[in-house]
Structures are given as C-alpha cells and as structure tokens.
Amino acid sequence: MNPISNLENHFSFESVDNLEKRKEALNDAIDTVQAYVKLDHSVAVLSDLADNKSYIFADNFGSFFEMNISGYVIIDSIWEEDIYQRIHPDDLFQRHLLELEFFNFLKNLPPEERLNYNTKCNIRARNSRKEYQYVSHRSFYLKNSSEGGLWLAVCVYNYLFEKLGTSNGIDGKIVNTKTGESFYVSTYINCINLLTSREKEILVLISQGIISKEIAAKLNISINTVNRHRQNIREKLNVTNSIEAVRTAEALHLL
C-alpha cells in the first residue's frame, strides 16, 4: 500500500454505528453514487471506513483508466491502488497532504456541517496511452455515523474541463458547496498541532540521521520512549517509515 495515501490510523478512531444500521445507509449511498456517476460520466470510489471496503463506479471516464466496469466492483481496501499507481508521485504526495488537512479541518467542525465541504484539485494521471494528463479530483464525506464519526468517503475523478491556472502543484482547495466559499490550501493550519514539541524534537534528530539509541542518550530518555514517540509520529502523519515522516512533516511546515 502506498504509505502517503494511508489515513487508516485516523479513521480507526471514528465512531461508527452497528452493522445493521450501516447496511441500510450504505445501500442508499451506493444508489446515490451510482446515479451520480451515470449523470457525471465520471469515475467514483465510495469507501466504507468501517468495513475497509471500497465500491468503484465508472462511466465514460473509466476508459481513461482502462476500466471495464458494469455496475460497480468491490475491493477489500479503502484505497484505490490501481488508480493511485497511475497518478504522478509528486501529485499523489500533495493530494495526501490536502486530504490530511481536510480531515483535520472537518474534525474542528460540528458533524452536521462537515458534509457541506469537499476538496478539489488537479492531478496528473497516466491515460490509456501511458501519457500524463491533468484530471480533476474531488473528495468529500457522504455520511457521518449517528455519533458524528466520519464514515463514508467519496473520491470522484473526471476530465479537467476548465483551463489550468498559473499556480504550481495540484491547485488544491477546500470548498463549501452550500455557500460557494472556497480557499486554497497552501498552508496546513489544521495540521499545525499534529505533533507535540517532543515529537518534533525527535523528528528533527531523525532527519539528521541520528539513531534511536543516540536520541535516547541525547534527550536523557529510554530507548523504549523514543520508539514509542517514533510510532506516534508515524501514526499521526499517516506514514510507515521515518523517511516519509520527515518529508511529510517538512511539507506541512511542522519542523
């Protein structure tokens, strides 16, 4: 699994409903997304964060990804890896940062307001000719649980119909679809407090190539404490190793 697209650690703390209640809401969501994709001619991925499954729907835009889907297909993951492999690595990393900021932005809102927002960005993806082409990517949460936990997530891919601007990167922004308000995500203010001062201190030392044993001696703490901090850092930044942790923290301006 591509580590930069891994938000599972955050999702695991979300409160979800019992299976019977989820089943009815999930069936409604499947019908909604299927109808939308048919209208929009797009590709959509509906991810069930409680059951770690995704439902992939494709209309005309499916030919871009060389998809041949009738109705929808189910995968045992909340990450559409076959699509991710087609996205330019730099853009996939930036999309990860945008989604991390979006998640933390939503957690600061009342549950009833969260479903009014989505992300929008332009990413490079390989088409059927194996050439990179800019496509539109949007993401949003379709359902909260009855306890307010984020539960059903949707990603929508389609052709980019608007003209590209002059900004660099993926041109990521968060949009309130109810009011029309939007703002570009160039600073990650909702991620600013992700790491404690001690975790930042340890991550700086890691970036300098200092191993856990030496960090423990330098900070006068046990190696078990250092390793626990390292694990917490990886979980908070949704990465699987220290190199990615340093890269993500630097991109989020945490160091």
Side-chain angles (χ1 to χ4, degrees):
M1 177 177 293
N2 191 321
I4 66 170
S5 61
N6 182 3
L7 285 164
E8 286 167 333
N9 293 306
H10 278 318
F11 296 152
S12 66
F13 292 104
E14 292 300 295
S15 301
V16 295
D17 298 315
N18 62 53
L19 181 61
E20 196 61 36
K21 186 177 287 188
R22 294 203 313 267
K23 185 176 180 181
E24 182 178 354
L26 176 62
N27 288 334
D28 288 343
I30 288 173
D31 290 342
T32 297
V33 176
Q34 192 165 24
Y36 177 81
V37 165
K38 192 170 184 179
L39 180 67
D40 195 49
H41 307 298
S42 52
V43 166
V45 181
L46 171 67
S47 295
D48 183 339
L49 309 184
D51 286 342
N52 193 37
K53 292 183 183 294
S54 290
Y55 303 78
I56 302 178
F57 309 79
D59 201 77
N60 288 1
F61 186 67
S63 61
F64 182 96
F65 292 131
E66 299 178 283
M67 290 179 171
N68 184 17
I69 294 176
S70 176
Y72 59 87
V73 296
I74 305 173
I75 61 173
D76 291 322
S77 173
I78 58 173
W79 312 113
E80 56 271 27
E81 286 295 334
D82 286 348
I83 295 178
Y84 289 169
Q85 290 173 9
R86 289 177 172 266
I87 300 174
H88 192 287
D90 292 344
D91 292 0
L92 188 59
F93 180 70
Q94 290 296 321
R95 175 199 171 277
H96 163 70
L97 298 181
L98 175 62
E99 294 302 320
L100 193 58
E101 173 71 3
F102 184 48
F103 181 88
N104 285 286
F105 167 78
L106 293 181
K107 294 303 288 184
N108 289 321
L109 297 178
E112 63 272 12
E113 293 183 21
R114 294 172 185 165
L115 305 186
N116 297 333
Y117 289 86
N118 67 22
T119 69
K120 184 177 181 183
C121 64
N122 306 320
I123 54 178
R124 290 167 289 178
R126 290 197 308 272
N127 57 29
S128 58
R129 300 185 301 277
K130 313 305 179 188
E131 300 167 341
Y132 278 118
Q133 176 180 336
Y134 273 100
V135 301
S136 168
H137 177 274
R138 287 171 290 151
S139 67
F140 53 93
Y141 290 88
L142 189 62
K143 290 280 186 181
N144 288 314
S145 70
S146 60
E147 297 182 23
L150 293 167
W151 170 37
L152 292 179
V154 180
C155 287
V156 180
Y157 301 85
N158 209 338
Y159 293 108
L160 184 61
F161 298 108
E162 57 196 55
K163 192 172 182 179
L164 281 173
T166 57
S167 61
N168 296 321
I170 63 173
D171 211 25
K173 58 184 175 181
I174 295 175
V175 181
N176 185 323
T177 57
K178 190 172 182 178
T179 66
E181 176 191 12
S182 67
F183 55 91
Y184 286 94
V185 178
S186 55
T187 58
Y188 301 94
I189 57 174
N190 292 284
C191 293
I192 198 69
N193 294 317
L194 270 183
L195 303 180
T196 66
S197 57
R198 176 64 93 184
E199 288 165 349
K200 291 177 183 178
E201 186 178 19
I202 288 175
L203 196 52
V204 167
L205 295 174
I206 291 172
S207 71
Q208 297 170 355
I210 301 176
I211 62 175
S212 293
K213 183 178 180 180
E214 295 171 347
I215 293 174
K218 189 176 184 68
L219 300 180
N220 197 28
I221 56 179
S222 73
I223 191 169
N224 288 335
T225 299
V226 172
N227 290 336
R228 187 170 67 250
H229 281 306
R230 292 181 75 132
Q231 181 180 352
N232 289 340
I233 290 168
R234 290 194 299 269
E235 288 179 353
K236 288 180 179 181
L237 296 178
N238 307 295
V239 296
T240 58
N241 62 58
S242 297
I243 294 175
E244 291 161 356
V246 171
R247 184 188 180 197
T248 300
E250 288 177 341
L252 292 172
H253 309 296
L254 299 181
L255 300 182

